[in-house]
Amino acid sequence: QFDTNAQEVRAASPYEMTFTLSMTNESFAYVPSALADDHRSYEVATSKFVPGSGTEFAQEQLRLLMECKNQ
């Protein structure tokens, strides 16, 4: 549940190697993936983001990666 968004980005990235970072800059905000929709854990219940936000973030990251690759 905690690495789903990063796995999606790495799997679909147009680059041979893609690194993702999380829990950086002393951020305590958990971004729930679509998988988290079914898990009402503490992290999901107290997140500043709605369940599924992580999927939207991952899609935008992939869009930006594709844009960089095509330039």
Side-chain angles (χ1 to χ4, degrees):
Q1 157 177 342
F2 293 101
D3 195 37
T4 305
N5 301 323
Q7 288 176 12
E8 290 174 7
V9 171
R10 287 192 301 267
S13 174
Y15 294 97
E16 183 178 341
M17 298 181 84
T18 300
F19 297 91
T20 56
L21 302 173
S22 62
M23 305 297 217
T24 59
N25 300 329
E26 298 180 20
S27 173
F28 299 103
Y30 172 68
V31 182
S33 67
L35 176 65
D37 287 348
D38 297 330
H39 298 88
R40 296 308 302 173
S41 65
Y42 172 79
E43 290 83 3
V44 175
T46 61
S47 176
K48 299 174 186 178
F49 301 97
V50 298
S53 295
T55 302
E56 291 183 40
F57 287 2
Q59 289 172 350
E60 180 63 12
Q61 291 170 18
L62 287 169
R63 186 192 70 74
L64 292 169
L65 286 169
M66 294 292 192
E67 185 178 306
C68 288
K69 183 75 172 180
N70 293 328
Q71 288 187 7

